[in-house]
Amino acid sequence: MITWFKLATRNLFRNGRRSLFTVMAIGLGFAAVNALGGFTAYIFTSLEDSYIHIQGNGHMSIFKKGFLNEGKLDPTRYLLNEEDVRVIDEVLAAHPEIRISTPELNISGLVSNGEVSTIFLASGRVSSKVDVIRSRSRTKVGNMQLFDGEPMSDETPNGLGMSQGLADQLRFKQGDTVVVMAPTVNGQINALDGQMLQTFNSPVEALEDKLMLVSLEFAQSLYDTTSVDRINVLLNDGLLTESMRATLQSELVARGLDIEIKTWNELSTFYTKVKNMFDVIFLFAFLIVFTIVVMSVINTVGMAIMERTREIGTLRALGVKRRGIVGLFALESMLLGLFGSLFGVLLTLAVWSSIATLEPTWIPPQITRRIPLEVYLVPQEMLWSLLALLVLSLVAASLPARKAARMEIVSALGHV
Amino acid sequence: MNTITSIGTAPLVELRRVTRHYQIGENPVIALKGIDITIQAREFVAIWGPSGSGKSTLCNLIGMLDSPTSGTVLINGQEVNDLSDNARSELRNRTIGFVFQNFNLVPVLSALENVMLPLQIAGASSTVARERALERLAEVGLEKHVAHRPAKLSGGQQQRVAIARALVTDPALVIADEPTANLDSGNARRIIELMLNINASHGTAFVFSTHDQRLLESVKRRVLMQDGEIGSDSHPTRPAVQTRIAGGRP
């Protein structure tokens, strides 16, 4: 085995320039796939982290059954009342896998500066609990302040935040008093004064002139209810999301609650769409690399076979079997794949460390602030790429190698 | 059809009514026309004749590098026509060593590694292969050149490495295709002496094709090929040419 390994390795250096170009092609392909893979991993992680932690939604949300389908038309019919919330809190408290849970009430109505009014959509939340969820963010964006002004706080229940577009439209600035109006759950018109604490950018451009953040207390007062529309749940380990959903679902139903639980990726359709898009892009990139690698290896092995036809004949004359010839070229091809992949690992590390050092920023879709651009190092993906390229090299070499092995020995020996 | 009969009871090689036809483009070429020949162990046989007479084809068939169109090839009494490619490869590795006109050494391997190769193909350990290869290289006088790659060796040295490689598995037969054709007279003479010495000391049979008159003069048995047939066979124990016209009775 050592002899064949030695022979294969030395053969690669017989036409060093050709082997070098093949190794470079494989290495560049490897780096392209892994840099893109690292970038998509960054995007996926950022989107996941943004929804779960930065936006404070947690890994899953518990709703009254039907809220998501029919609740938009008549939200007050599908609210979780105090008793429901108490039972849910009891069930959740029995699970140490749950880091924290927080109730939420989404409201809509009119916001006015005394001269003009416009519609708004607001989330009513418990700021201290949302802060705990945000503090679990694993991304650089999670450590950035994504609003201008003061943070929301439990101590200022009438404090509110407003999307920049809405604030500009109504000419609100920090500290201004804001009049918020909405029908209560009983159909009465209610109005509350709020204090403008902060402005932020809407994650969806179409909502830039409509979004507000209020405290849960404020939202409940405006709707004149003690109910909420969901309980958001943050787990200690996101990998337990599916199993915990099933467990909580059965336990809550057993306690007589008619509820449904949706996980973060079911609720974040944007994440799913972006992921699908990047999966297609990644597939295209991989197919391009696949073509480059296969063509390079076929060319290299094909040329080597042509140049070494007489040597193949000699080895066959000395007793090497057909599968031995295939094995020799397969080994050479796999070594090309291995050296190429190792070169690719170095290139990927260079790309990764350059980006980590230079810390470039960019403005991704749906965010109006500059945020750090990152390329993650994904060792598992690199390992899979290496294995895939080895197999690809092997498969690419097998066709010309099999042809070489089936050559007539006499013809091969007489080849000039 | 010519019929040549060699003496001996346990033939190392036996060809019975062997023909070999080729197709070159649209033209059929008959390289061998029903050859019968027997070669015993320890023989030293030269196959000679003009270009295109069928010398190389005969050597290739004896060496199992090619298959006959018709007829039977037996090695050590075993019919090899119907053997699988794998079985032929194993038998070739065990029984036959080859020396080629252009030496055909593997350029990326040293002299020692080239000689070790047939043993390693047979599955011998590196230690055993190394030991035996060093012995063979010493026998051909190249013990000081074991680490040299072929490109660093002269033609004569390369051919001696090739002979060491052919002998390293202790084959019963070495087939040499014009082994002195690419050598100057001094190296050619040394190669001839080396082969004769090995034949005498180890009892290895040699069959080789040649145009080299010096080599023919050193050989007891000379088989002349003419137009795909055996023209004459100067068998050592039979001074007269053992040729009969096809269809004739012995």
Side-chain angles (χ1 to χ4, degrees), chain A residues 167-316:
Chain A
D168 290 345
Q169 197 175 342
L170 296 174
R171 292 187 295 278
F172 279 129
K173 57 184 184 305
Q174 195 184 340
D176 286 353
T177 299
V178 178
V179 180
V180 183
M181 294 170 284
T184 66
V185 290
N186 295 320
Q188 307 286 323
I189 291 294
N190 192 11
L192 290 176
D193 284 347
Q195 189 192 353
M196 177 82 171
L197 292 180
Q198 60 173 241
T199 55
F200 58 87
N201 293 113
S202 164
V204 182
E205 203 168 333
L207 299 177
E208 182 62 18
D209 59 351
K210 292 181 181 61
L211 279 192
M212 283 174 47
L213 276 177
V214 297
S215 68
L216 177 65
E217 193 179 330
F218 187 94
Q220 287 177 323
S221 298
L222 190 64
Y223 268 26
D224 191 24
T225 181
T226 54
S227 300
V228 297
D229 60 40
R230 73 194 68 182
I231 305 283
N232 296 323
V233 178
L234 182 77
L235 302 173
N236 286 318
D237 182 358
L239 295 174
L240 299 174
T241 304
E242 279 302 329
S243 61
M244 280 305 292
R245 185 239 293 263
T247 306
L248 294 175
Q249 177 80 36
S250 61
E251 289 182 12
L252 290 168
V253 169
R255 292 291 295 269
L257 292 179
D258 190 19
I259 52 93
E260 61 182 327
I261 302 176
K262 294 287 181 186
T263 59
W264 67 270
N265 47 342
E266 291 169 339
L267 293 166
S268 175
T269 50
F270 183 68
Y271 171 86
T272 311
K273 284 178 185 170
V274 171
K275 188 171 188 312
N276 289 341
M277 183 186 75
F278 271 104
D279 284 345
V280 172
I281 293 171
F282 191 81
L283 179 68
F284 273 114
F286 187 79
L287 286 176
I288 292 166
V289 169
F290 170 92
T291 309
I292 292 169
V293 170
V294 168
M295 297 309 289
S296 300
V297 172
I298 285 179
N299 178 57
T300 303
V301 175
M303 293 289 284
I305 285 169
M306 209 167 67
E307 290 165 0
R308 285 157 52 195
T309 300
R310 184 181 286 182
E311 189 179 308
I312 293 166
T314 305
L315 290 172
R316 292 276 290 128

Side-chain angles (χ1 to χ4, degrees), chain A residues 63 81 93 175 281:
Chain A
F63 303 91
N81 61 32
I281 293 171

Side-chain angles (χ1 to χ4, degrees), chain A residues 3-4 6-7 10-11 14 310-311 314-323 408-410 413, chain B residues 60 65-66 85-86 89-90 92-93 98 100 102 104 106-110 113 117 120-121 149 165:
Chain A
T3 304
W4 299 117
K6 198 191 293 177
L7 189 56
R10 288 183 191 174
N11 278 331
R14 281 168 86 160
R310 184 181 286 182
E311 189 179 308
T314 305
L315 290 172
R316 292 276 290 128
L318 295 180
V320 175
K321 294 171 187 169
R322 282 178 174 148
R323 65 169 180 264
E408 296 289 340
I409 300 174
V410 174
L413 284 169
Chain B
N60 291 337
L65 300 178
D66 197 5
D85 186 76
N86 282 351
S89 297
E90 281 172 21
R92 205 162 47 231
N93 176 256
F98 290 93
F100 301 99
N102 294 313
N104 288 24
V106 180
V108 294
L109 298 180
S110 68
E113 288 164 341
L117 201 53
Q120 296 195 297
I121 291 167
R149 288 199 183 178
R165 180 179 69 181

